[in-house]
């Protein structure tokens, strides 16, 4: 049995330029899907998977993200006074235990691998999770929990994976598959953003990882890869070269790329339709909208 995974790294240093002008003053991780910031979805998924320590790798301009995790004492007191129990519960559910969150600064945007490496001193010789908050996943059980359960069986390192269209593979890390066991595949290699037409498979890496401590050691090389950046994918691929196991899990669930406008819009619709208090009115609105548009075509 491998050691329990209790720490997760959240690389949140990106500038979010695809969402300018919004990201001029708010970190993209605070952008709201229905009524919760993206980061809350990531935290909830990590908690459901048993994560106890949350390490944010941040950069300049991310103050609002740090503030988001402060307890809102005045607001809580006022809701309590007014007897607004539901709102109070919603608010309290976001409270984090003191000392459970650490913030580390990435001083230079040198890539995802570098961001993860910045957290090295907060980890002992233990497996750890990495969650990319842009990838929002609707799934039950939540994706990271599915991975923790699978990892308990396999050990080694594990990435979340899903099939993508051939012409999209060059936007992802892609698995070279040694053995396909159904939900789990064993990798013989991993390539970050392969040139069009050269992807070793159609299985893309999605932003959930459970990594062996040796991946952090591989990152010590600080070797530049695709796009001149230090890539996490390369440090995971090194595991395979050195004879250690790397698996991909075809998770059950729907992934949204909330780092893109279209992905964010799709996620807004999907998560809106999941909410009991919204779905009736919202789906009526969407069907009417579509029929009016179709009639006008
Ligand atoms: C990152 C990773 C890539 C992965 C992707 C998933 O790329 O480097 O391997 O497939 O996330 O979203 P990015 O989207 O940050 O360019």
């Amino acid at each position: 049995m491998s050691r329990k995974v209790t720490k997760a790294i959240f690389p949140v240093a990106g500038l979010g330029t695809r969402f300018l002008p919004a990201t001029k003053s708010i970190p993209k991780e605070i952008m709201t899907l229905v009524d919760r910031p993206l980061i809350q979805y990531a935290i909830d998924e990590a908690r459901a998977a048993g994560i106890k320590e949350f390490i944010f790798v941040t950069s300049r301009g991310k103050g609002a993200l740090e503030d988001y995790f402060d307890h809102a004492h005045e607001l809580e007191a006022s809701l309590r006074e007014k007897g607004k129990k539901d709102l109070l519960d919603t608010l309290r559910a976001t409270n984090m235990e003191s000392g459970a969150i650490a913030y580390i600064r990435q001083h230079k945007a040198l890539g995802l691998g570098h961001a993860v490496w910045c957290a090295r001193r907060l980890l002992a010789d233990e497996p750890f999770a990495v969650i990319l908050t842009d990838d929002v996943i609707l799934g039950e059980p939540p994706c990271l929990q599915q991975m923790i359960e699978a990892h308990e069986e396999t050990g080694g390192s594990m990435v979340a994976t899903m099939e993508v269209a051939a012409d999209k593979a060059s936007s992802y890390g892609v698995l070279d598959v040694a053995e396909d066991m159904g939900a789990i595949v064993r990798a013989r290699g991993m390539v970050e953003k392969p040139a069009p037409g050269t992807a070793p498979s159609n299985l893309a890496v999605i932003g959930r990882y459970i990594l062996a401590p040796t991946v952090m050691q591989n990152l010590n090389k600080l070797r530049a890869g695709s796009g001149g950046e230090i890539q996490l994918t390369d440090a995971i691929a090194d595991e395979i070269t050195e004879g250690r196991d790397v698996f991909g899990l075809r998770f059950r669930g729907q992934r949204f790329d909330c780092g893109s406008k279209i992905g964010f819009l799709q996620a807004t619709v999907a998560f809106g339709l999941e909410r009991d208090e919204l779905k009736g009115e919202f789906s009526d609105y969407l069907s009417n909208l579509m029929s009016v548009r179709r009639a006008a075509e």
Side-chain angles (χ1 to χ4, degrees), residues 137-154:
I137 300 174
L138 195 54
E140 201 42 55
C143 182
L144 194 67
Q145 192 180 331
Q146 294 177 33
M147 291 176 71
I148 297 269
E149 283 163 14
H151 181 259
E152 274 166 12
E153 304 292 322
T154 62

Side-chain angles (χ1 to χ4, degrees), residues 18 28 111-113 132 134-135 160 169-174 190-193 203-209 226 229-234 236 255-257 259:
R18 278 194 270 178
K28 66 172 173 174
L112 178 60
L132 306 188
D134 278 355
D135 284 333
S170 53
S171 306
Y172 295 92
V174 178
M190 265 173 79
V191 193
E192 180 66 14
K193 310 221 164 70
L203 276 183
V205 175
I206 299 305
R208 302 287 184 278
Y209 306 78
S226 167
E229 296 190 340
I230 297 159
Q231 297 292 352
L232 184 58
T233 302
D234 294 340
I236 302 170
R255 171 260 186 175
F256 298 91
D257 174 11

Side-chain angles (χ1 to χ4, degrees), residues 22-34:
T23 45
K24 219 170 102 178
S25 71
I26 51 158
K28 66 172 173 174
E29 298 77 14
I30 292 291
M31 289 186 9
T32 309
L33 210 49
V34 188

Side-chain angles (χ1 to χ4, degrees), residues 3-83:
R3 207 174 140 176
K4 240 181 151 35
V5 183
T6 58
K7 295 182 187 173
I9 301 175
F10 301 79
V12 290
L15 294 175
T17 48
R18 278 194 270 178
F19 285 97
L20 280 170
T23 45
K24 219 170 102 178
S25 71
I26 51 158
K28 66 172 173 174
E29 298 77 14
I30 292 291
M31 289 186 9
T32 309
L33 210 49
V34 188
D35 52 11
R36 312 150 76 74
L38 287 185
I39 192 68
Q40 189 66 52
Y41 289 91
I43 291 284
D44 289 347
E45 187 179 329
R47 280 170 151 177
I51 299 296
K52 303 281 181 251
E53 291 179 53
F54 307 80
I55 303 168
F56 293 96
V57 183
T58 70
S59 60
R60 281 168 76 88
K62 298 284 177 168
L65 184 61
E66 300 191 18
D67 291 349
Y68 175 76
F69 289 106
D70 284 341
H71 293 202
H73 297 295
E74 282 172 24
L75 192 52
E76 280 186 25
S78 126
L79 292 174
R80 202 177 308 117
E81 221 167 88
K82 293 182 186 138

Side-chain angles (χ1 to χ4, degrees), residues 6 15 42 101 107 113 273:
T6 58
L15 294 175
I101 304 187
H107 294 111
L273 290 174

